[in-house]
């Protein structure tokens, strides 16, 4: 039995059942058998075997890992009681040279065993898909990409293969001015031959073959052809297709050519494999990337899967919508994710995206060692501006620190999250920031989060003041905070609240009388400035 590559097994089992923790010998190791290791049995294994270490949680699985390594087994699967156990097991797996899989706590071992045996039984299928069978081109994703490109360029988009067959196209409205070439291509699912002959005569296809950038095709009103941009989709030197952008009733955007560069790279990833292989590979990449960002999966797995250098500099960018203006949140995230993917691919060929809850994280691996921080800021600013201009979605973006390798990705992500958390608490903050831009805001935000989570740290007099306001519909707490923010300047605070200075003086005195606060005391002023910023 030739076996099923570990990569394919992980793609088929999927993240709901198992998660890769270490793969020191790579992901192409063949898995030929599956065995169950009972906790009462001595640790044994066979070459190419996936060992299901039942009952051996945490460090109790170390003997199984060592035995598997000596026997040249493919992998060991264990259940973890807590995140702290993974580090010791990953180290032991790396030392033993055997892959380590963590099994979800709720997964039944017999189910995992049965499913794995079924997958292995089909591993010798002639098409190499483990019995899955071939899939078609990933046209669903291409339609989403075409719509994203239409938004970014302001044009009318179609994506075609190397035979000029239309694979996907953007939606059009009644006001869009669609020319004959576009209309006939969509109706016939292929470019009409008379028009294709003209494009060949003008040298369009030869220019596309020799250029990595976008080219322009001038308008020919006599032929019913409007101005266009086009770019070749390729994987290395292999042509895969073309993206066409027709200019409609308004000129194309100034950044249309740059957007096409990114779109061509994204499209290449969608065309390079059959749908099923691509879908499984994408899921595995997303699982490994998300695990790395969260610190639950080591860097070696993603590096092995994508061929990344562990020691090259890397940065995490984090994006979050400031508001969706009543739009469907899921739709907005899909639109934003598509836009971010195109923009980052245009600037960094190896950029990776991971949507997590309401945030979208971008991993920029293998950065040049002396990349100026201003460059990352400019890239991020372009994306935020594009989301505002083309999607009417305000984004906040945080730039994590550039760290020396993939092992430090969780630290870069954590700092980016700190920045976004501070932005989300309001105040005067930029919509694109690194830590040095908002250091004070981040620290104040984290102190407020501590006060929010730990009621025992709050001053009960200030808690009583906000409760009094709620019962009596007064604004004493707000007035005290404005007075403190203005450093005791009554007129400035009163102007900010649009009230008379005497009204402000009365409210501050009333607040002190009700609570016993002494705002002449620095410590009480400091605590009041913090605690009164807590949300109601």
């Amino acid at each position: 039995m030739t076996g099923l590559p570990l990569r394919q097994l992980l793609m088929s089992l999927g993240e709901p059942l198992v998660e890769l923790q270490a793969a020191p010998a790579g992901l192409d190791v063949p898995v030929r058998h599956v065995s169950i290791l009972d906790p009462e049995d001595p640790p044994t294994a066979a070459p190419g075997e996936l060992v299901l270490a039942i009952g051996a949680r945490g460090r109790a699985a170390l003997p199984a890992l060592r035995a598997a390594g000596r026997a040249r087994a493919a992998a060991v699967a264990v259940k973890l009681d807590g995140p702290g156990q993974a580090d010791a097991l990953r180290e032991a797996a790396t030392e033993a040279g055997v892959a380590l899989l963590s099994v979800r706590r709720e997964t039944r071992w017999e189910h995992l065993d049965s499913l794995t045996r079924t997958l292995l039984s089909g591993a010798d299928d002639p098409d190499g898909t483990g019995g899955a069978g071939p899939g078609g081109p990933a046209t669903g994703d291409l339609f989403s990409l075409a719509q994203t490109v239409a938004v970014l360029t302001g044009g009318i988009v179609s994506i075609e293969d190397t035979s000029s067959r239309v694979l996907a196209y953007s939606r059009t409205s009644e006001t869009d001015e669609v020319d004959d070439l576009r209309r006939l291509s969509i109706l016939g699912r292929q470019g009409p031959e008379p028009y294709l002959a003209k494009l060949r005569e003008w040298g369009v296809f030869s220019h596309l073959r020799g250029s990595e950038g976008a080219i322009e095709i001038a308008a020919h009103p006599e032929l019913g052809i409007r101005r266009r941009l086009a770019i070749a989709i390729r994987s290395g030197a292999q042509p895969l297709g073309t993206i066409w952008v027709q200019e409609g009733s308004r000129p194309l955007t100034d950044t249309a050519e740059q957007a096409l560069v990114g779109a061509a790279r994204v499209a290449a990833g969608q065309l390079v494999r059959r749908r099923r292989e691509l879908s499984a590979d994408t899921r595995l990449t997303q699982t490994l990337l998300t695990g790395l960002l969260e610190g639950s999966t080591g860097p070696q797995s993603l590096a092995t899967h994508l061929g990344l250098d562990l020691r090259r500099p890397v940065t995490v960018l984090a994006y979050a919508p400031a508001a969706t203006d009543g739009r469907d949140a899921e739709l907005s995230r899909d639109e934003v994710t598509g836009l971010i993917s195109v923009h980052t691919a245009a600037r960094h060929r190896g950029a990776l995206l991971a949507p997590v809850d309401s945030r979208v994280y971008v991993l920029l691996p293998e950065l040049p060692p002396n990349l100026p921080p201003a460059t990352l800021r400019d890239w991020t600013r372009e994306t935020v501006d594009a989301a505002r201009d083309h999607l009417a979605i305000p984004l906040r973006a945080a730039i994590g620190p550039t760290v020396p390798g993939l092992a430090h990705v969780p630290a870069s992500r954590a700092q980016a999250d700190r920045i976004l958390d501070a932005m989300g608490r309001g105040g005067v903050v930029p919509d694109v920031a690194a830590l040095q831009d908002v250091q004070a805001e981040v620290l104040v935000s984290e102190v407020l989060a501590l006060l929010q989570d730990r009621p025992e740290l709050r001053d009960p007099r200030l808690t009583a003041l906000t409760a009094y306001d709620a019962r009596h519909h007064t604004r004493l707490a707000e007035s005290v905070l404005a007075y403190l923010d203005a450093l005791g300047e009554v007129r400035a605070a009163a102007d900010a609240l649009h009230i008379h200075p005497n009204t402000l003086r009365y409210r501050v005195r009333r607040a002190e009388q009700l609570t016993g606060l002494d705002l002449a005391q620095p410590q009480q002023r400091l605590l009041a400035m913090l605690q009164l910023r807590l949300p109601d």
Side-chain angles (χ1 to χ4, degrees):
M1 180 178 182
T2 59
L4 186 68
L6 179 60
R7 181 194 313 273
Q8 188 68 40
L9 181 65
L10 289 169
M11 290 176 185
S12 301
L13 291 175
E15 180 269 341
L17 291 180
V18 298
E19 186 173 318
L20 182 66
Q21 295 293 335
L27 294 175
D28 294 320
V29 173
V31 180
R32 299 187 178 92
H33 312 280
V34 59
S35 68
I36 294 176
L37 180 61
D38 191 273
E40 301 299 323
D41 296 335
T44 58
E49 204 164 60
L50 167 61
V51 179
L52 306 183
I54 295 178
R57 293 178 180 263
R59 300 184 68 86
L62 291 176
L65 281 169
R66 296 183 184 121
R70 289 192 298 269
R72 298 180 179 242
V76 176
V78 301
K79 289 189 177 182
L80 302 176
D81 283 329
Q85 296 177 349
D87 293 337
L89 291 178
R90 276 197 293 263
E91 184 178 342
T94 301
E95 189 175 308
V98 65
L100 172 66
L101 312 182
S102 60
V103 180
R104 299 292 180 185
R105 186 175 304 178
E106 60 274 17
T107 300
R108 295 172 57 192
W109 284 109
E110 59 268 28
H111 174 57
L112 179 59
D113 176 54
S114 173
L115 182 57
T116 304
R117 291 179 189 278
T118 300
L119 291 168
L120 293 179
S121 68
D124 288 332
D125 282 359
D127 64 4
T129 61
T139 52
D141 290 338
L142 288 177
F143 274 92
S144 298
L145 177 63
Q147 191 60 35
T148 296
V149 176
V151 169
L152 291 175
T153 62
I156 304 165
V157 178
S158 63
I159 301 176
E160 299 178 3
D161 65 11
T162 53
S163 300
S164 298
R165 288 189 293 265
V166 177
L167 301 175
Y169 47 89
S170 62
R171 299 186 297 271
T172 56
S173 67
E174 295 180 358
T175 59
D176 286 327
E177 298 180 7
V178 178
D179 65 12
D180 290 344
L181 176 54
R182 155 80 179 199
R183 185 172 59 256
L184 293 174
S185 297
I186 299 303
L187 290 175
R189 302 294 293 182
Q190 188 169 13
E193 184 52 39
Y195 288 93
L196 296 179
K198 283 295 182 182
L199 294 176
R200 286 192 288 269
E201 178 184 327
W202 299 333
V204 170
F205 293 112
S206 61
H207 279 111
L208 283 171
R209 284 193 295 270
S211 172
E212 289 198 355
I215 66 169
E216 180 177 356
I217 300 98
H220 290 269
E222 74 280 6
L223 299 174
I225 297 178
R226 300 178 69 90
R227 174 176 175 254
R228 269 173 172 69
L229 292 179
I231 191 168
I233 307 168
R234 55 167 59 89
S235 176
Q238 177 68 36
L240 300 173
T242 311
I243 302 178
W244 301 86
V245 180
Q246 179 219 303
E247 193 172 70
S249 55
R250 55 194 175 111
L252 299 179
T253 63
D254 293 337
T255 58
E257 293 188 22
Q258 179 185 314
L260 275 179
V261 171
R265 293 174 182 171
V266 173
Q270 297 181 15
L271 292 175
V272 76
R273 297 180 183 92
R274 292 170 297 183
R275 177 189 299 168
R276 188 162 304 187
E277 294 172 347
L278 172 64
S279 175
D281 185 70
T282 300
R283 285 198 304 271
L284 179 57
T285 300
Q286 286 284 297
T287 298
L288 296 177
L289 175 56
T290 302
L292 179 60
L293 287 166
E294 295 175 346
S296 60
T297 303
Q300 185 65 58
S301 302
L302 184 67
T304 301
H305 179 52
L306 298 178
L308 300 176
D309 188 335
L310 283 166
R311 298 172 297 279
R312 291 276 298 277
V314 60
T315 290
V316 174
L317 310 176
Y319 296 87
T324 57
D325 298 327
R327 301 168 68 171
D328 180 81
E330 192 66 30
L331 175 61
S332 296
R333 193 180 77 162
D334 289 346
E335 290 177 317
V336 167
T337 302
L339 182 144
I340 293 172
S341 69
V342 169
H343 266 268
T344 53
R347 292 301 191 178
H348 189 293
R349 186 180 296 274
L352 300 169
L353 267 75
V356 179
D357 298 325
S358 63
R359 295 181 176 179
V360 178
Y361 296 93
V362 176
L363 180 68
L364 301 178
E366 300 184 331
L367 291 172
N370 298 312
L371 184 70
T375 300
L376 290 175
R377 189 182 298 272
D378 290 344
W379 293 356
T380 309
R381 165 56 59 195
E382 288 173 1
T383 303
V384 169
D385 289 347
R388 181 194 62 234
D389 296 341
H390 300 303
L391 299 179
I393 294 178
L395 279 185
R396 301 186 184 102
I399 304 169
T402 299
V403 291
L406 286 173
H408 303 276
V409 162
S412 185
R413 183 258 175 111
Q415 188 154 302
D417 276 335
R418 293 175 67 199
I419 297 167
L420 280 184
D421 290 343
M423 289 176 165
R425 288 190 176 272
V428 182
V429 293
D431 53 7
V432 174
L435 184 62
Q436 61 266 27
D437 303 318
V438 289
Q439 183 100 45
E441 289 83 356
V442 167
L443 294 175
V444 169
S445 174
E446 290 172 354
V447 172
L448 292 176
L450 180 64
L451 289 174
Q452 183 79 25
D453 295 338
R454 299 277 302 277
E456 72 273 14
L457 298 180
R458 302 178 205 167
D459 189 327
R461 296 172 298 180
L462 295 167
T463 303
L465 181 62
T466 55
Y468 179 90
D469 278 342
R471 286 196 308 272
H472 299 279
H473 306 290
T474 52
R475 299 171 61 188
L476 301 182
E478 178 190 29
S479 301
V480 169
L481 183 57
Y483 171 74
L484 295 172
D485 283 348
L487 303 179
E489 292 288 338
V490 173
R491 185 166 296 280
D495 288 345
L497 295 175
H498 307 292
I499 60 176
H500 193 276
N502 287 340
T503 302
L504 179 70
R505 292 188 182 95
Y506 166 77
R507 290 180 180 177
V508 171
R509 286 197 305 270
R510 180 65 174 155
E512 288 182 311
Q513 292 167 358
L514 284 172
T515 62
L517 285 167
D518 182 1
L519 297 179
Q521 297 297 320
Q523 293 87 346
Q524 294 189 37
R525 288 201 306 271
L526 175 60
L527 186 57
M529 288 184 72
L530 289 170
Q531 188 171 324
L532 293 179
R533 280 182 158 76
L534 291 176
D536 296 335

